[in-house]
C-alpha cells in the first residue's frame, strides 16, 4: 500500500525542495498542516538521496528510512536544455511504502511517472511552468492525491492531465518464476479450473485441464490428453505461475512420509485444522459430536456406533462421525522415516482400527503435505562404479542379461529419485529393486532422504 507520494525539484538557490506531496505533510511538515501527524521520514537525512549525484540520474533508486520502517522509491530525472537555469532541469517523483512489502510492482509505477512527466516537460515545459501559467490545468498536488487514492483502492488509475495527455497506470502483482514441472509431479488444482476455462484459452490448456484432478501425474496427463510431454509441462507452468495449481509427489503405498514441525499445530487443532482434515479425508463426512453425550463416549468404536444407529433407524446414517479427532491425530503422527504407507496401515489394523474402511489414505497424505504437516521421504540409489566413473570422467556401460545396456546405471548417482525412474523407465518399484539386485554384490546402496 502506498503511504505517500511526492514530487521534488532541485532549485539552484534552494537546493532539493518538495514541491507537492500527498497526503500533506508526509515528507515535510508545512505551515498549513501543523495539526497532522509528523512526517513519515526525516527529510533532512534523506534529501541527498531524493535528488542524488549525477551518476544516479535516470535510474531507479530505493532508499530506506533510518528506522527501516519505510522505503522511498524514486527515479531522479535530469533534462539538459539551454532554456533552464544552469542548463538543466532536475526532478524526481517518488513513492513511500512500508519496507517489508514487495517493491517490484511499484518500480513500474515510479518509472511510468518519471517517463511520462519527463516527456511532457520536453514537449511544452509542463513541470517548469507549474504555478506560473494560468491555463486551467489541474495542480500536480491534486494529481498526486488522485494517483495515490486510485492505486490504493482500485490498483489502477486513468487521469486526464491536460487536453493532450492522460496518465494510465496499473499495479500488477509480481509472480516469481514457476518451479520446473517434472513428469513425476502431480498437479493439484486450487480452484475449479473447468468453470473458468473458455474457448479463447490456449488449446493445450483446454485439453489438459479436464485431467488435472490431483491424482494424475504429469506424464499420465500428457498421455490422456494426447499432448506431448514438453507442451504439457509448459502449460502446467503457466497455471503454476498464476498460483492456480500446486505440485505434489506421486502417491504410492510403498512411499514413506515423516512429520514436519507443523504437526504441532495439528495436535493442538489450531484454527480447526483437525476438523478440516476430518471433512476432507473421512469417507463418511463427520458431524460435530457433543463431548458430554453418549455418542461421544463410544466414538472410538466405529462398529458400535454403526450398530447403535442401525438399531434406531434401520439403516446406517452417512452423517455419523466414524473417526474421532484423537484418532486422526494419532494417524497423522505415526508416519515416520523407514515406515511405508502400507506398513503404516498394517500398524493401525493390528491395533484394531480399519484405516481403509473410514479414511481415504491418499487424501490424508495429501492434506498433510499441503498443510505442511508431512513431507515425502524420497528413495535414491547409489552405485560405487558410477561414482568412480564420475570421479575419473569415464563412462560406465554395463550390459544386462538381455544383451541391452543397463539404463538404470545413469540413475545410480544419488541425484535421481525412484519417482523419476518409475516415470521415465515405466517400471514399478519392485521391478527397479529386482533389476538393481543384478548389479555386482555390494555395489548398490539404497537410501532415503
Amino acid at each position: 500500500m502506498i503511504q505517500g507520494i511526492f514530487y521534488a525539484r532541485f532549485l539552484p538557490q534552494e537546493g532539493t525542495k518538495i514541491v507537492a506531496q500527498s497526503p500533506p505533510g508526509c515528507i515535510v511538515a508545512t505551515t498549513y498542516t501543523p495539526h497532522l501527524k509528523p512526517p513519515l521520514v526525516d527529510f533532512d537525512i534523506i534529501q541527498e538521496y531524493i535528488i542524488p549525484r549525477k551518476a544516479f540520474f535516470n535510474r531507479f533508486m530505493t532508499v530506506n528510512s533510518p528506522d527501516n520502517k519505510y522505503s522511498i522509491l524514486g527515479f531522479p530525472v535530469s533534462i539538459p536544455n539551454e532554456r533552464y537555469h544552469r542548463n538543466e532541469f532536475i526532478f524526481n517523483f517518488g513513492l513511500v511504502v512500508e519496507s517489508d512489502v514487495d517493491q517490484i510492482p511499484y518500480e513500474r509505477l515510479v518509472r511510468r511517472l518519471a517517463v511520462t512527466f519527463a516527456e511532457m516537460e520536453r514537449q511544452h515545459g509542463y513541470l517548469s511552468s507549474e504555478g506560473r501559467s494560468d491555463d486551467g490545468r489541474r495542480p500536480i498536488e491534486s494529481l498526486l492525491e488522485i494517483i495515490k487514492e486510485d492505486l490504493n483502492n482500485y490498483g489502477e488509475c486513468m487521469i486526464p492531465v491536460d487536453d493532450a495527455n492522460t496518465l494510465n497506470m496499473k499495479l500488477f502483482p509480481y509472480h516469481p518464476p514457476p518451479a520446473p514441472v517434472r513428469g513425476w509431479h502431480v498437479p493439484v488444482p486450487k480452484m475449479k479450473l473447468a468453470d473458468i476455462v473458455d474457448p479463447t484459452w490456449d488449446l493445450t490448456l483446454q485439453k489438459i485441464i479436464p485431467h488435472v484432478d490431483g491424482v494424475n501425474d504429469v506424464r499420465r496427463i500428457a498421455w490422456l490428453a494426447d499432448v506431448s510431454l514438453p507442451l504439457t509441462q509448459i502449460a502446467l507452468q503457466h497455471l503454476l505461475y498464476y498460483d492456480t495449481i500446486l505440485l505434489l509427489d506421486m502417491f504410492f503405498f510403498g512411499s514413506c512420509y515423516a512429520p514436519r514441525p507443523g504437526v504441532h499445530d495439528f495436535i493442538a487443532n489450531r484454527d480447526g485444522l483437525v476438523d478440516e482434515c476430518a471433512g476432507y479425508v473421512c469417507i463418511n463426512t463427520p458431524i460435530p459430536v457433543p463431548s458430554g453425550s453418549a455418542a461421544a463416549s463410544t466414538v472410538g468404536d466405529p462398529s458400535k456406533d454403526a450398530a447403535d444407529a442401525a438399531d434406531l433407524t434401520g439403516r446406517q446414517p452417512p452423517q455419523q462421525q466414524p473417526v474421532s479427532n484423537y484418532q486422526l491425530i494419532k494417524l497423522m503422527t505415526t508416519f515416520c522415516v523407514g515406515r511405508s504407507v502400507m506398513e503404516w496401515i498394517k500398524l493401525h489394523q493390528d491395533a484394531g482400527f480399519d484405516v481403509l474402511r473410514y479414511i481415504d489414505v491418499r487424501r490424508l497424505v495429501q492434506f498433510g503435505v499441503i498443510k505442511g504437516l508431512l513431507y515425502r521421504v524420497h528413495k535414491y540409489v547409489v552405485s560405487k562404479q558410477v561414482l568412480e566413473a564420475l570421479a575419473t570422467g569415464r563412462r560406465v556401460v554395463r550390459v544386462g542379461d538381455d544383451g541391452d545396456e543397463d539404463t538404470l546405471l545413469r540413475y545410480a548417482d544419488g541425484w535421481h529419485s525412484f519417482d523419476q525412474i518409475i516415470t521415465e523407465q515405466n517400471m514399478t518399484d519392485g521391478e527397479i529393486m529386482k533389476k538393481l539386485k543384478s548389479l555386482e554384490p555390494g555395489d548398490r546402496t539404497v537410501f532415503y532422504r
Side-chain angles (χ1 to χ4, degrees), residues 336-396:
C336 66
V337 178
R339 177 184 293 161
S340 67
V341 176
M342 186 61 70
E343 294 170 342
W344 172 84
I345 292 174
K346 189 175 184 303
L347 173 71
H348 290 284
Q349 286 180 335
D350 292 342
F353 180 72
D354 190 355
V355 178
L356 297 177
R357 182 179 178 185
Y358 299 105
I359 297 294
D360 187 327
V361 178
R362 180 189 61 80
R363 291 171 72 92
L364 177 67
V365 170
Q366 193 178 74
F367 181 88
V369 173
I370 292 174
K371 296 294 185 179
L373 313 177
L374 302 175
Y375 70 93
R376 169 77 180 279
V377 183
H378 286 280
K379 191 176 181 181
Y380 299 85
V381 61
V382 172
S383 170
K384 292 181 181 179
Q385 57 178 318
V386 172
L387 295 182
E388 291 176 0
L390 291 175
T392 59
R394 63 185 178 86
R395 181 171 179 264
V396 178

Side-chain angles (χ1 to χ4, degrees), residues 275-312:
D275 301 323
E276 182 183 355
C277 177
Y280 184 71
V281 308
C282 292
I283 295 177
N284 293 327
T285 305
I287 59 173
V289 178
S291 58
S293 65
S297 63
T298 62
V299 73
D301 187 356
S303 59
K304 192 173 189 308
D305 291 341
D308 292 344
D311 292 340
L312 292 174

Side-chain angles (χ1 to χ4, degrees), residues 79-93:
I79 304 177
N81 197 295
E82 295 179 357
R83 65 180 177 177
Y84 302 119
H85 190 63
R86 294 189 182 180
N87 300 325
E88 196 173 27
F89 183 81
I90 304 172
F91 71 94
N92 188 5
F93 280 90

